[in-house]
Amino acid sequence: GIQVEQSPPDLILQEGANSTLRCNFSDSVNNLQWFHQNPWGQLINLFYIPSGTKQNGRLSATTVATERYSLLYISSSQTTDSGVYFCAVVANNNDMRFGAGTRLTVKP
Amino acid sequence: DAGVTQSPTHLIKTRGQHVTLRCSPISGHKSVSWYQQVLGQGPQFIFQYYEKEERGRGNFPDRFSARQFPNYSSELNVNALLLGDSALYLCASGAGGRRDTQYFGPGTRLTVL
């Protein structure tokens, strides 16, 4: 099945810093989403982005489908950005395959 | 509009027991998927149902089963619970296509003692 790799596994930032999270996938996909999981376990949708670039406030994402990777950019990070960020893809079957996540800690 | 809802929020069971978890999708969504997330890992796909039919199954034993009702809500059943079944169980709903955005509920945290 499709493999999803996220990097880095852990990231520690000072408040106000910028960061880039990466997601590599091993096959073509029909669906790619970025999620933020809060400390209570809720997966919050950030982007639906199987290709192209999108921006939402301080967050933006780019997926280059032909090269099988996606990037999530966080600018001017805040302590509330802390948590685990997941990339998830859907290939030709119907299951959504998640990466192992990037754990982000933003220090005040 | 209400998002995806799941019940119960927390559950404690003992080995060998069975458990039923429930999920109500976003109004208008016909697809429900179930995921298991153990501590420190990403969610793992268990089942997907669409229009009351199973459309996908992950690599889980037959102790895991699910069904979808005419109102598109869904139940996940786990029999003969093992300690390793302790996890956060997440439900996601979508319109039904592979290209559709999936929306997740808050999850049910199951502890097996």
Side-chain angles (χ1 to χ4, degrees), chain B residues 35-64:
Chain B
Y35 295 80
Q36 180 197 65
Q37 185 179 20
V38 299
L39 199 61
Q41 298 181 18
Q44 300 289 316
F45 173 75
I46 310 175
F47 288 110
Q48 186 185 69
Y49 276 77
Y50 176 70
E51 289 281 17
K52 303 181 288 297
E53 298 289 328
E54 182 183 301
R55 200 164 69 170
R57 174 185 283 255
N59 189 24
F60 280 80
D62 293 343
R63 299 184 296 107
F64 289 77

Side-chain angles (χ1 to χ4, degrees), chain A residues 31 33 37 45 48 95-96, chain B residues 35 37 45 99-100 102:
Chain A
N31 180 338
Q33 290 184 237
Q37 189 166 43
N45 284 48
Y48 168 83
D95 65 273
M96 176 166 271
Chain B
Y35 295 80
Q37 185 179 20
F45 173 75
R99 301 178 187 275
D100 293 325
Q102 297 291 305

Side-chain angles (χ1 to χ4, degrees), chain B residues 83-99:
Chain B
L83 296 180
D85 295 331
S86 294
L88 179 66
Y89 288 85
L90 294 162
C91 170
S93 83
R98 293 191 188 104
R99 301 178 187 275

Side-chain angles (χ1 to χ4, degrees), chain A residues 1-18:
Chain A
I2 192 168
Q3 303 297 313
V4 183
E5 295 181 354
Q6 291 187 243
S7 60
D10 293 279
L11 188 57
I12 300 174
L13 301 173
Q14 286 298 130
E15 202 167 25
N18 302 328

Side-chain angles (χ1 to χ4, degrees), chain A residues 7-52:
Chain A
S7 60
D10 293 279
L11 188 57
I12 300 174
L13 301 173
Q14 286 298 130
E15 202 167 25
N18 302 328
S19 62
T20 301
L21 283 58
R22 187 176 179 101
C23 171
N24 293 331
F25 44 96
S26 61
D27 204 347
S28 58
V29 297
N30 294 299
N31 180 338
L32 188 148
Q33 290 184 237
W34 283 96
F35 297 92
H36 176 212
Q37 189 166 43
N38 66 21
W40 297 273
Q42 175 80 57
L43 280 170
I44 299 164
N45 284 48
L46 298 177
F47 294 102
Y48 168 83
I49 189 166
S51 64

